[in-house]
Amino acid sequence: MNAACSVSPLGLRERKKLRTRRAIRDAAYRLFAEQGFDATTVDRIAAAANVSTSTFFRYFPTKEELVLSEDPPARSLSEELAARPADEPPLTALRNALHAGVERARSDPGALRRARQRMELIASVPSIRDRLHEAMAGPGRAALARALATRTGRAPDSLETNVLVGAVLGAFREALLHWAGTEPDTDVTDLFDRTVDALARDLTT
Amino acid sequence: MNAACSVSPLGLRERKKLRTRRAIRDAAYRLFAEQGFDATTVDRIAAAANVSTSTFFRYFPTKEELVLSEDPPARSLSEELAARPADEPPLTALRNALHAGVERARSDPGALRRARQRMELIASVPSIRDRLHEAMAGPGRAALARALATRTGRAPDSLETNVLVGAVLGAFREALLHWAGTEPDTDVTDLFDRTVDALARDLTT
DNA sequence: CCGGATCTGGGAGTCACTATCATTTGAGAG
DNA sequence: CTCTCAAATGATAGTGACTCCCAGATCCGG
């Protein structure tokens, strides 16, 4: 009892839920790789994960969200951004935050490879790709807006700040989709640097 | 025969198709306004337009596309952009192209009002709003990329150009969504100017 | 006016997703 | 250990978007 409790602060119930969530995700990604996203029914995923179809929808609101809900970049990005000195201009802070984020991701060696595979899936399924812009922001969008607003002196909910958030998300959506079409060992840092450079150099009056 | 042909270069068949397309769209918008997007079934729209459900899907691939396929801004924007002098920097050309586009839209007095109502619908339905980014580009995306690429010296299919396209679309997606939440008589030109200003002033290194 | 292409309506079917209810299972109190 | 309650699960039925297919109607060119 005590031994089990000290190992994990979560009760059996919570641990089971995490296991189920993971089982569904793993089964889904395996089947997507084998037969493609559209050809894989939710019933089939649920069966492969040994749960009922009802349970699938209790864990994921839609089949697309199973792919999109994982790791919305805006959350971690806004945290890294908030950690940068306040006097860095927006694009410099963004570049440094991205470097820090990639660096942190390298601590888990499989993380980049999994992210890359996920992006390949997203890029190859139109219905998911279309919703990537919104999904990238996710619930972390407000935090991203605040992080950018502190560097521009605008209000976090102003048109100007929202425009900035939209532009940054739109830019990195392209960067990520581009990544999915490159050699698997392409360095993400280079890609992000080129993206920030493009925003800084080519978006001029 | 000759009379009819001189009035319209389209045969009876083509004219009927246009009328049907318009009938479906009008019926749909009317029903959406009355009962909302989600509560309006495709069967109901088809019945109101006096066509079968099959015919609905022959004219529009999905219910969402009925709203999104109308007037993708990237097409007209890329045309106005191509008409600007080649030595204007990207954001200046973009601003002037937007002015020209809005000016042209004013020739049809109902156009802006309809566009505004359409944006209110898009902004209020999450499943449509999520897909707005892709829909804004539409088939005119390639032309927009070319128009921007000529001003930056980049290749039209380069990462840098795609990043620029994504940023511009992301920025104006926010502008349009903001527009949908403002007073109905808000001037679009001001909105677009503020958007371009935000890109120029706040997106700095 | 006729032969072929095209458009339409109808019906059957798939699949994502929702709502509901009975059953099971982990959590916590005694 | 047991009892109770809340939460998780599974099964079922249903809705609605969308596809496929076929038979009949409509338009078009010769």
Side-chain angles (χ1 to χ4, degrees):
Chain A
M1 271 289 209
N2 281 338
C5 286
S6 65
V7 167
S8 162
L10 286 63
L12 174 57
R13 206 165 214 158
E14 294 303 314
R15 266 179 289 144
K16 259 195 155 178
K17 273 168 73 173
L18 284 181
R19 266 185 36 213
T20 303
R21 196 178 174 81
R22 184 184 205 98
I24 295 174
R25 241 203 254 275
D26 289 349
Y29 274 102
R30 186 167 51 78
L31 291 172
F32 292 161
E34 287 172 8
Q35 356 171 321
F37 182 83
D38 292 327
T40 304
T41 69
V42 170
D43 284 9
R44 189 82 187 69
I45 299 171
N50 292 310
V51 295
S52 70
T53 308
S54 315
T55 298
F56 176 97
F57 285 108
R58 287 195 182 94
Y59 281 85
F60 302 99
T62 70
K63 193 169 85 166
E64 294 172 356
E65 215 70 14
L66 171 115
V67 179
L68 288 172
S69 67
E70 192 178 359
D71 179 37
R75 175 158 184 76
S76 56
L77 184 59
S78 60
E79 287 170 6
E80 303 286 356
L81 217 44
R84 301 298 314 168
D87 61 340
E88 278 182 351
L91 285 184
T92 304
L94 190 60
R95 185 194 308 269
N96 291 327
L98 287 164
H99 286 178
V102 173
E103 206 52 43
R104 178 177 298 191
R106 288 196 204 285
S107 63
D108 176 0
L112 277 181
R113 190 179 43 79
R114 281 198 307 274
R116 156 79 192 220
Q117 283 178 339
R118 178 167 160 263
M119 276 311 306
E120 287 174 17
L121 178 61
I122 292 174
S124 69
V125 180
S127 64
I128 305 186
R129 197 182 49 216
D130 287 358
R131 304 185 53 194
L132 178 57
H133 185 88
E134 277 286 326
M136 279 175 62
R141 193 201 152 106
L144 181 57
R146 274 195 304 275
L148 287 174
T150 56
R151 287 160 209 289
T152 59
R154 312 279 195 181
D157 59 345
S158 63
L159 168 65
E160 282 77 8
T161 298
N162 280 315
V163 163
L164 222 59
V165 171
V168 168
L169 290 177
F172 281 93
R173 177 176 180 276
E174 294 301 325
L176 289 173
L177 289 176
H178 181 94
W179 185 38
T182 57
E183 297 294 313
D185 59 347
T186 303
D187 188 21
V188 211
T189 308
D190 290 348
L191 206 68
F192 285 168
D193 278 342
R194 288 175 63 192
T195 302
V196 176
D197 286 342
L199 288 176
R201 286 196 37 211
D202 296 341
L203 216 51
T204 53
T205 308
Chain B
M1 271 291 208
N2 281 337
C5 287
S6 64
V7 167
S8 161
L10 286 63
L12 173 57
R13 208 164 215 162
E14 295 301 315
R15 265 179 291 145
K16 260 193 155 177
K17 273 168 71 174
L18 284 181
R19 266 184 40 214
T20 303
R21 194 179 176 82
R22 184 184 205 99
I24 295 174
R25 242 202 254 275
D26 290 349
Y29 274 101
R30 187 168 49 79
L31 291 172
F32 292 161
E34 286 173 9
Q35 354 171 319
F37 182 84
D38 291 327
T40 305
T41 69
V42 170
D43 284 10
R44 189 82 188 68
I45 299 172
N50 292 309
V51 295
S52 69
T53 309
S54 315
T55 299
F56 177 96
F57 285 109
R58 287 194 184 95
Y59 281 84
F60 301 99
T62 70
K63 193 169 83 163
E64 295 173 356
E65 214 69 15
L66 171 111
V67 179
L68 288 171
S69 66
E70 192 177 359
D71 180 37
R75 173 158 186 76
S76 56
L77 184 59
S78 60
E79 286 170 7
E80 302 287 356
L81 217 45
R84 300 299 314 167
D87 61 339
E88 278 183 350
L91 284 183
T92 306
L94 190 60
R95 184 193 310 267
N96 291 327
L98 288 164
H99 287 177
V102 173
E103 207 53 43
R104 179 177 297 190
R106 288 197 204 285
S107 62
D108 176 1
L112 276 182
R113 190 180 42 78
R114 281 199 307 276
R116 156 80 192 221
Q117 283 178 339
R118 178 167 160 264
M119 276 311 305
E120 287 174 17
L121 177 60
I122 292 174
S124 69
V125 180
S127 64
I128 305 186
R129 196 182 50 217
D130 286 359
R131 302 185 54 193
L132 177 58
H133 185 87
E134 276 287 325
M136 280 175 61
R141 192 200 154 110
L144 180 58
R146 273 194 304 274
L148 286 173
T150 57
R151 287 160 211 289
T152 58
R154 311 279 196 183
D157 60 345
S158 63
L159 167 66
E160 281 79 7
T161 299
N162 281 314
V163 162
L164 222 59
V165 172
V168 168
L169 291 177
F172 281 93
R173 177 176 180 276
E174 294 302 324
L176 290 172
L177 289 176
H178 181 94
W179 186 38
T182 58
E183 297 296 312
D185 59 348
T186 304
D187 188 20
V188 211
T189 306
D190 289 348
L191 206 68
F192 287 168
D193 278 341
R194 287 176 63 193
T195 303
V196 176
D197 286 342
L199 288 177
R201 286 196 37 211
D202 295 341
L203 215 52
T204 53
T205 308

